Amino acid sequence: MVEVGDLFGDGWDSLSEGTNRAIVAASPGRAILLDSHRLIHGDSGCSVRPVVVENFLRCVMKKHHRLREHFDLVTRRSLRERLSSFLLGAAERNGYRQFTIPISRAELASFLNADRTAVSRELARMRDESLISFHRNSFALHDLIRPGNNGHSEATAARSGPGYATRPGKTSRHSEQAQSVQPTCRQSRLGG
């Protein structure tokens, strides 16, 4: 997903000279097309050029970071580990244990390199184990633990933000609020 202000298509002109590319937008918007040759070799007296180059490099570094995170995510061994890492990452980015993801269940499955039915089945199991609750694309995390790099759960899932559990059986100080969301979400069927 490309958010507002993000970069896409960087490096296309150097990889395939003269090849046409097409982008399909999920919603109406505007894109600024930059000529990389003019960006690199443009007028040295231009006062705007250094700012554009700095912003461009910042976008490239941010994109690289996201790609590295995605690689770490899809190399997890089990689908449960991939889902847990994705959901905890989304919660950390939003700053809350209750959040909505902007992608469909099929897009989530594709992002996690998994089958849609397997993702839906695993989410239902996680809900039945009271780790999460959800309704369509809205999620609430309860006792979800971040998987470690070796496939085992890390004891410190709460890096930032309220409402994370740190160990199975030991809930955070916001567990009462998390339980208040659960009945509404539990009654709903798996949507997507």
Side-chain angles (χ1 to χ4, degrees):
M1 282 184 305
V2 179
E3 299 290 339
V4 172
D6 280 355
L7 182 69
F8 67 91
D10 46 310
W12 280 358
D13 57 346
S14 63
L15 294 175
S16 52
E17 197 67 39
T19 302
N20 290 328
R21 302 285 182 175
I23 297 293
V24 177
S27 62
R30 292 183 181 181
I32 299 173
L33 302 177
L34 300 174
D35 180 1
S36 61
H37 181 73
R38 288 183 58 194
L39 192 63
I40 296 168
H41 305 291
D43 182 13
S44 60
C46 178
S47 62
V48 176
R49 187 172 154 263
V51 175
V52 172
V53 170
E54 183 180 339
N55 289 342
F56 180 78
L57 288 175
R58 188 175 292 119
C59 286
V60 168
M61 291 169 59
K62 181 179 164 187
K63 187 174 183 178
H64 172 74
H65 179 70
R66 278 198 317 248
L67 288 172
R68 190 176 64 227
E69 284 181 341
H70 185 247
F71 177 77
D72 290 342
L73 182 73
V74 296
T75 55
R76 301 264 181 197
R77 281 183 269 183
S78 72
L79 180 57
R80 168 75 60 103
E81 291 174 3
R82 284 180 264 163
L83 274 168
S84 296
S85 293
F86 175 82
L87 293 172
L88 284 165
E92 286 174 0
R93 281 188 296 280
N94 287 296
Y96 301 103
R97 11 169 214 88
Q98 297 178 25
F99 56 92
T100 301
I101 59 173
I103 56 178
S104 69
R105 197 61 47 82
E107 291 167 329
L108 174 61
S110 177
F111 184 76
L112 296 176
N113 194 27
D115 181 63
R116 183 192 182 282
T117 55
V119 168
S120 296
R121 187 171 40 248
E122 193 62 39
L123 285 172
R125 285 183 189 141
M126 292 168 77
R127 179 193 58 212
D128 293 344
E129 294 171 21
S130 298
L131 299 174
I132 63 172
S133 54
F134 61 89
H135 177 69
R136 298 186 185 238
N137 292 349
S138 297
F139 290 86
L141 307 187
H142 304 302
D143 291 331
L144 196 59
I145 303 297
R146 180 177 298 283
N149 291 333
N150 59 2
H152 301 292
S153 295
E154 292 177 2
T156 55
R159 284 197 239 190
S160 65
Y164 293 104
T166 55
R167 289 186 183 90
K170 294 189 178 185
T171 59
S172 69
R173 58 188 171 96
H174 295 282
S175 61
E176 296 84 21
Q177 292 174 351
Q179 295 301 323
S180 67
V181 175
Q182 190 173 0
T184 310
C185 296
R186 267 189 184 274
Q187 293 171 357
S188 65
R189 292 282 179 228
L190 187 61

